[in-house]
């Protein structure tokens, strides 16, 4: 215990403590070397945990005569021991040294399995279990005491942006070790327990002896692993109880950390409530041997092994809270599969347990990784050990009491048997059902915990659902690509997939040495449209040498993040021509009114003459924003000679839709020779709602030869008539569908005419409508239009009268188009409905 004592306040002690606390920062090579040593430590400690826990510990306790109640007590030791972390965290913070502390206590805890393995040979049978309880409790306390120091140590050692991936790899290595050790150990133990080739006590002692050797290996690795400087809270005052209470005020006074501790308490209780009894049920009721138990453990380890890198990758991307919620929900499903097991149905039992361990390995891997990372992420660096100690103590209390309560309930349910849904529920299965419910009940408490990333479980599932397996493959392809071409191909595939999973990797690719890769990455981020990319793209707006300024501007417009408006305005004034065009278009996409003055300034200045392309982009942006204050400036550009600029201005006036744009737009129609401008003006007048422009638009139709432009103008006229919901679908339909729609409209008009009172103007019989329809079907649109005009009779509505008058005059002069007939048809229907 000297390692926990405070030094005597002499000069020599002060110098020794200063040297111990003020150790130099580790460089990257030293960090890498320490992490490799830590991986070896994980291997040795995993061997010890595998051989002294799980089915092996349960079997040893049963051999010593443990009942269900005492199995619950036994399982509570590791978690109840977490209470001692309150003391250890306090001493760690005061001393500022973690390596020797961790090595000493964890090594002592693992070395205690040496006297445990000797219990069957040194003590009488009635005292063996009591001795095991005592030694296991001390071992659990010693191992638990080292936990805050180790967590703080690893937190400072692993770079924050690599924690998910590093601990994912480290846990994967631990999973491989579990697989490599558990099956041979189970086979060896079955030789004693099932085949009776040697006493079971010898088998257990051999396993525990090998575990002790590996525990010594873990101790040596900890001593070899480098320790970075410890970030500690300020020390003040003297020691003692008052100092300790003040010391622990921080974690319990932190609202977010309190919420995490509350969730962890509930979930840990749910985790350990029935934990020891699954193996007891498997050994005593299902009569499974150790080999089968380790086969299932291997399945769980493989599932953990394969999923761990994915959990680590996703935790770095989405944060830990959302993934922890998904993983916790998954663990709630696993107890339900135990309900399908029965000693009378061995095949179904083995299948159920295999699926159970497959899901359990995957989801528990996520729980272990993300909960550990979440604790590290939301605790301040200078108080890491005290936060971890408080967390472990609270969770340990809940987890320590839970299996005791579970054992009491299991004993109380001993004679209970329920048959429901064809499944027989005995004491064990009822306990498992309660256990599943407890895990689900704990989930709402996690929702109140704030993470460094505000992602929800629904967000993660949505993005994972949208992202296909190919997205993960292409992300890895991009990361591992050795050539520009290979990386560009991976980026193009991600661009097609438009998955948000790749945002961080694409952001990193914005700094790629290859210009083509940078361009592809910037464009892909725009296609994905994730706001997380905004800051990185904004930074590249100010770096003209990067060669991706216009791509970054375009992508910011697609993302639509308001934070991009000021830097885009600056680029609009100061950038190169192409960059300014991209900035203007991006501002239009974002639609923030703050950009209007800057855009208006460009088109009001001489710059619009020198750079019509920039003025064109600014005009389009003003139209997209839709602020009427820009209308006078846009009207002033209409006389310009640049065709594309005039079209952009006309479209912008239509997008804004202010009535003041009607006169200048209408003035274009009589003398304009450019068919495209006439067609765009028609659309703009329709968007402004200028009914008075219908006669001028109808007259301008004869000056437009393009079939597409004529349909565009007719659609605009139909919109001004108030028939947009009917006319556009008619224009867009295929011929057969259009014929059916026209027949239906003519039939409705005939029925309406038949219902009209006698003596009404223009008596219309059904045969007249049949003649119109026959002419339409025969593609004699001229005769069909004439027939419609006769059916209309006297029309009072000026809009309808203008259209029908034009249709009648045109039918006298030339053949009609099908689209022109449709316009006349809707005009007559409008007249009949008036």
């Amino acid at each position: 215990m000297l390692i926990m004592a405070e030094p005597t306040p002499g000069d020599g002690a002060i110098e020794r403590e200063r040297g111990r606390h003020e150790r130099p920062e580790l460089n990257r090579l030293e960090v890498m070397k320490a992490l490799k040593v830590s991986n070896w430590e994980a291997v040795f400690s995993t061997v010890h945990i595998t051989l002294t826990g799980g089915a092996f510990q349960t079997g040893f306790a049963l051999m010593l005569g443990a009942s269900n109640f005492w199995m619950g007590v036994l399982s509570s030791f590791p978690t109840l021991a977490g209470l001692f972390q309150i003391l250890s965290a306090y001493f760690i913070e005061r001393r500022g040294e973690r390596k020797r502390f961790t090595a000493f206590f964890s090594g002592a805890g693992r070395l205690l399995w040496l006297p445990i393995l000797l219990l069957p040979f040194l003590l009488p049978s009635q005292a063996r279990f009591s001795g095991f309880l005592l030694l296991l409790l001390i071992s659990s306390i010693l191992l638990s005491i080292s936990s805050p120091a180790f967590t703080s140590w690893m937190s400072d050692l692993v770079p924050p942006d690599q924690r998910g991936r590093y601990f994912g790899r480290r846990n994967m290595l631990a999973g491989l070790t579990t697989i490599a050790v558990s099956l041979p150990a189970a086979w060896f133990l079955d030789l004693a327990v099932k085949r009776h080739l040697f006493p079971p006590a010898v088998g257990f002692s051999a396993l525990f002896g090998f575990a002790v050797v590996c525990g010594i290996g873990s101790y040596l690795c900890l001593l070899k692993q480098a320790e970075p400087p410890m970030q500690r809270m300020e020390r003040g005052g003297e020691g003692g109880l008052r100092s300790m209470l003040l010391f622990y005020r921080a974690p319990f006074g932190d609202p977010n950390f309190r919420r995490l501790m509350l969730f962890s308490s509930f979930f840990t209780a749910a985790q350990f409530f029935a934990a020891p009894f699954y193996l007891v049920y498997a050994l005593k009721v299902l009569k499974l041997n150790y080999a089968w138990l380790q086969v299932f453990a291997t399945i769980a380890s493989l599932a953990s092994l394969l999923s761990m890198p994915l959990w680590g990758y996703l935790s770095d991307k989405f944060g830990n809270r959302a993934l922890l919620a998904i993983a916790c929900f998954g663990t709630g499903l696993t107890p339900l599969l135990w309900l399908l097991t029965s000693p009378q149905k061995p095949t179904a039992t083995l299948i159920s347990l295999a699926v159970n361990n497959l899901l359990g390995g995957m989801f528990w891997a996520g729980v272990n990784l993300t909960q550990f990372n979440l604790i590290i992420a939301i605790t301040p660096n200078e108080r890491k050990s005290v936060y971890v100690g408080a967390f472990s103590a609270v969770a340990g209390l809940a987890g320590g009491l839970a299996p005791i309560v579970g054992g009491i309930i299991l004993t109380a349910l001993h004679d209970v048997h329920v048959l429901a849904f064809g499944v027989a529920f005995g004491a064990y299965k009822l306990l498992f059902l309660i256990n599943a419910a407890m895990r689900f009940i704990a989930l709402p408490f996690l929702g109140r915990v704030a993470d460094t990333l505000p992602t929800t479980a629904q967000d993660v599932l949505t993005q994972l659902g949208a992202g296909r397996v190919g997205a993960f493959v292409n992300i890895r392809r991009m990361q591992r690509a050795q050539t520009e071409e290979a990386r560009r191909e991976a980026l193009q595939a991600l661009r097609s997939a438009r998955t948000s999973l790749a945002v961080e990797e694409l952001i990193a690719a914005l700094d790629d040495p290859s210009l083509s890769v940078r361009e592809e990455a910037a464009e892909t981020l725009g296609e994905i449209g994730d706001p997380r990319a905004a800051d990185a793209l904004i930074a590249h707006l100010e770096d003209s040498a990067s060669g991706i300024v216009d791509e970054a501007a375009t992508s910011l417009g697609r993302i639509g993040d308001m934070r991009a408006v000021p830097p885009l305005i600056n680029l609009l004034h100061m950038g190169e021509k192409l960059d300014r065009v991209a900035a203007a278009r991006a501002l239009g996409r974002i639609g923030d009114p703050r950009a209007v003055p800057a855009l208006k300034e460009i088109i009001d200045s001489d710059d619009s003459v020198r750079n019509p392309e920039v003025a064109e982009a600014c005009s389009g942006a003003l139209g997209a924003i839709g602020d009427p204050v820009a209308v006078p400036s846009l009207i002033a550009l209409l006389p310009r000679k640049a065709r594309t600029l005039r079209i952009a201005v006309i479209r912008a006036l239509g997008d804004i839709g202010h009535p003041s744009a009607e006169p200048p737009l209408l003035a274009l129609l009589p003398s304009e020779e450019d068919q495209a401008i006439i067609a765009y003006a028609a659309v703009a007048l329709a968007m402004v709602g200028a009914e008075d422009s219908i006669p001028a638009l109808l007259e301008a139709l004869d000056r437009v030869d393009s079939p597409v432009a004529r349909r565009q103008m007719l659609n605009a006229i139909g919109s001004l008539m108030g028939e947009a919901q009917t006319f556009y679908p008619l224009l867009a339909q295929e011929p057969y569908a259009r014929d059916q729609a026209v027949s239906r409209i003519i039939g409705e008009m005939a029925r309406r005419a038949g219902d009209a009172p006698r003596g009404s103007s223009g008596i219309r019989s059904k045969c007249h409508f049949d003649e119109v329809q026959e002419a339409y079907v025969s593609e004699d649109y001229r005769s069909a239009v004439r027939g419609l005009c006769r059916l209309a009779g006297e029309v009072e509505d000026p809009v309808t009268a203008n259209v029908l008058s034009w249709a009648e005059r045109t039918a006298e002069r030339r053949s009609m188009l099908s689209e022109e007939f449709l316009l006349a048809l809707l005009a007559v229907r409008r007249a009949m409905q008036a």
Side-chain angles (χ1 to χ4, degrees), residues 317-346:
K317 184 175 293 291
F318 295 115
N320 297 288
R321 184 193 61 182
L323 290 168
L324 179 57
I326 294 170
C328 289
F329 181 85
T331 63
L333 301 174
T334 56
L336 302 178
L337 289 168
W338 284 87
L339 305 182
L340 306 178
T341 61
S342 169
Q344 288 77 37
K345 299 177 180 179

Side-chain angles (χ1 to χ4, degrees), residues 775-786 816-818 821:
Y776 168 76
V777 172
S778 302
E779 298 186 359
D780 184 2
Y781 303 121
R782 187 175 187 181
S783 298
V785 168
R786 286 174 176 173
M816 303 287 286
L817 301 175
S818 62
F821 164 79

Side-chain angles (χ1 to χ4, degrees), residues 87 90 238-248:
L87 298 173
Y90 175 74
E238 299 298 326
L241 180 61
R242 178 179 176 80
S243 175
M244 184 178 294
L245 293 176
L246 292 174
F247 181 77
Y248 278 100

Side-chain angles (χ1 to χ4, degrees), residues 480-772:
R480 296 174 178 177
Q482 300 296 315
T483 64
E484 292 183 34
E485 186 61 28
R487 179 163 277 206
R488 280 184 64 249
E489 289 176 358
L491 285 169
Q492 289 168 355
L494 289 171
R495 185 175 181 179
S496 300
R498 295 185 180 181
T499 173
S500 296
L501 294 174
V503 169
E504 285 78 9
E505 289 77 11
L506 290 168
I507 290 173
L510 292 175
D511 297 320
D512 195 89
S514 167
L515 174 60
S516 61
V517 170
R518 294 198 300 272
E519 291 173 337
E520 195 70 45
E523 292 171 0
T524 304
L525 286 169
E527 291 288 339
I528 294 172
D530 195 304
R532 289 177 293 167
D535 288 335
L537 291 168
I538 289 171
H540 282 79
L541 291 181
E542 303 170 357
D543 184 7
S544 59
S546 69
I548 58 169
V549 174
D550 56 334
E551 288 86 354
T554 300
S555 293
L556 285 168
R558 291 180 179 276
I559 293 171
D561 196 306
M562 296 295 183
R563 293 174 296 169
V565 172
L568 285 170
I569 291 174
N570 183 62
L571 180 63
L572 179 66
H573 287 301
M574 307 297 294
E576 300 294 331
K577 181 186 291 187
L578 289 178
D579 300 338
R580 296 175 69 196
V581 169
R585 290 173 179 169
L587 290 169
R589 278 181 174 271
I590 295 173
D592 192 327
R594 289 180 296 168
V596 171
L599 295 165
K600 189 171 174 296
E601 180 183 344
I602 298 294
I603 64 173
D604 286 341
S605 67
D606 293 339
D607 191 25
S608 64
V609 178
R610 295 190 302 271
N611 297 296
E613 299 90 346
V614 178
E616 176 189 338
C618 290
S619 299
L622 288 168
I625 295 171
D627 193 330
V629 73
V631 171
S633 298
L634 290 168
I635 292 173
L637 293 179
L638 278 176
R640 295 287 176 84
K641 293 182 179 180
R643 181 172 182 264
T644 56
L645 174 58
R646 295 180 69 202
I647 291 174
V649 169
I650 293 169
R651 296 187 66 176
L653 290 171
D655 289 335
I656 295 172
H658 195 267
S660 62
E662 180 181 346
L665 289 171
L666 192 57
L668 291 172
L669 296 178
S671 58
E672 183 59 53
E673 297 180 357
D674 191 317
Q675 297 184 30
I677 290 180
I678 294 174
Y680 279 112
V683 174
L685 286 165
M687 296 176 75
V688 170
E691 286 187 358
D692 296 340
S693 67
I694 289 178
L697 289 171
L698 291 169
E699 292 300 324
L701 270 173
D702 284 337
R703 303 203 312 276
V704 177
D705 298 327
S706 167
V708 175
R710 289 179 66 85
R711 281 195 291 271
Q712 182 173 310
M713 293 181 67
L714 287 167
N715 185 49
I717 296 168
S719 178
L720 289 170
M721 288 172 54
E723 297 289 343
Q725 298 300 319
T726 304
F727 193 43
Y728 175 75
L730 284 174
L731 291 174
Q733 282 177 340
E734 295 180 351
Y736 287 108
R738 183 191 298 170
D739 289 349
Q740 291 178 346
V742 168
S743 176
R744 185 168 56 252
I745 293 172
I746 293 175
E748 291 172 357
M749 292 167 61
R751 286 191 295 274
R752 183 181 291 273
D755 294 338
R758 290 184 178 275
S760 59
S761 63
I763 303 241
R764 314 167 183 102
S765 65
K766 184 177 184 299
C767 65
H768 293 150
F769 288 98
D770 290 342
E771 291 173 359
V772 171

Side-chain angles (χ1 to χ4, degrees), residues 58 297 477 479 516 611 786 808 819:
T58 300
R477 277 181 59 202
Q479 291 174 328
S516 61
N611 297 296
R786 286 174 176 173
E808 192 170 19
E819 292 88 350

